[in-house]
Amino acid sequence: MFHPATTSAGWFTDPDNLAVDPAGRLWVTTDGPPPEGITDSVYVMDTEGPGRALPKLFYIAPVGSEACSPTFTPDGSSVFLSIQHPGELRMADNEDATSMEDAGTDWPDFKPGMPARPSLVVLSRVNNDVVGS
């Protein structure tokens, strides 16, 4: 059961990875096939208090990919995410891409002739506050 205050941006399916950050919050990454109009994403939720189990959308993975393996700095100011298989799907019909030309994205370079590539992203708070808060 989802928290009763879950918004339309908080619903998710197909949880794939779980992690707990230094503040004790639960992070959930998804790996589809998600419902139409929802991409694989990263959600964070409190594990105590009135917001317990209330999923909050934190990050949307590039088209046709999944974000996985959330790992945190000891102070919780940054999260590291692995991005797997970007560009795997075509935008037109959400089916497997068969070439670089019909891939859903050319992330992270966005340069013609460069294929989409798995990558590591780091998301941080500019003021070193706890990420995802």
Side-chain angles (χ1 to χ4, degrees):
M1 297 293 298
F2 279 90
H3 189 284
T6 301
T7 67
S8 61
W11 291 99
F12 62 86
T13 64
D14 304 291
D16 190 44
N17 295 172
L18 301 174
V20 177
D21 70 13
R25 293 172 303 154
L26 180 65
W27 291 68
V28 179
T29 67
T30 64
D31 184 15
E36 188 172 329
I38 298 174
T39 61
D40 286 319
S41 302
V42 179
Y43 299 84
V44 60
M45 55 188 105
D46 293 334
T47 55
E48 298 179 329
R52 181 176 182 246
L54 175 60
K56 297 175 224 158
L57 177 62
F58 178 76
Y59 176 78
I60 298 172
V63 172
S65 71
E66 66 173 301
C68 59
S69 307
T71 304
F72 307 89
T73 55
D75 66 359
S77 65
S78 298
V79 60
F80 298 80
L81 298 169
S82 296
I83 306 299
Q84 294 182 336
H85 54 78
E88 188 173 83
L89 298 177
R90 288 190 300 253
M91 291 293 289
D93 59 7
N94 207 29
E95 294 295 329
D96 289 344
T98 57
S99 68
M100 279 181 20
E101 290 73 28
D102 72 351
T105 186
D106 51 5
W107 187 90
D109 297 306
F110 302 107
K111 293 181 183 174
M114 288 291 294
R117 296 179 294 122
S119 301
L120 175 71
V121 296
V122 182
L123 304 171
S124 301
R125 294 284 301 263
V126 291
N127 56 4
N128 287 334
D129 281 347
V130 174
V131 71
S133 60

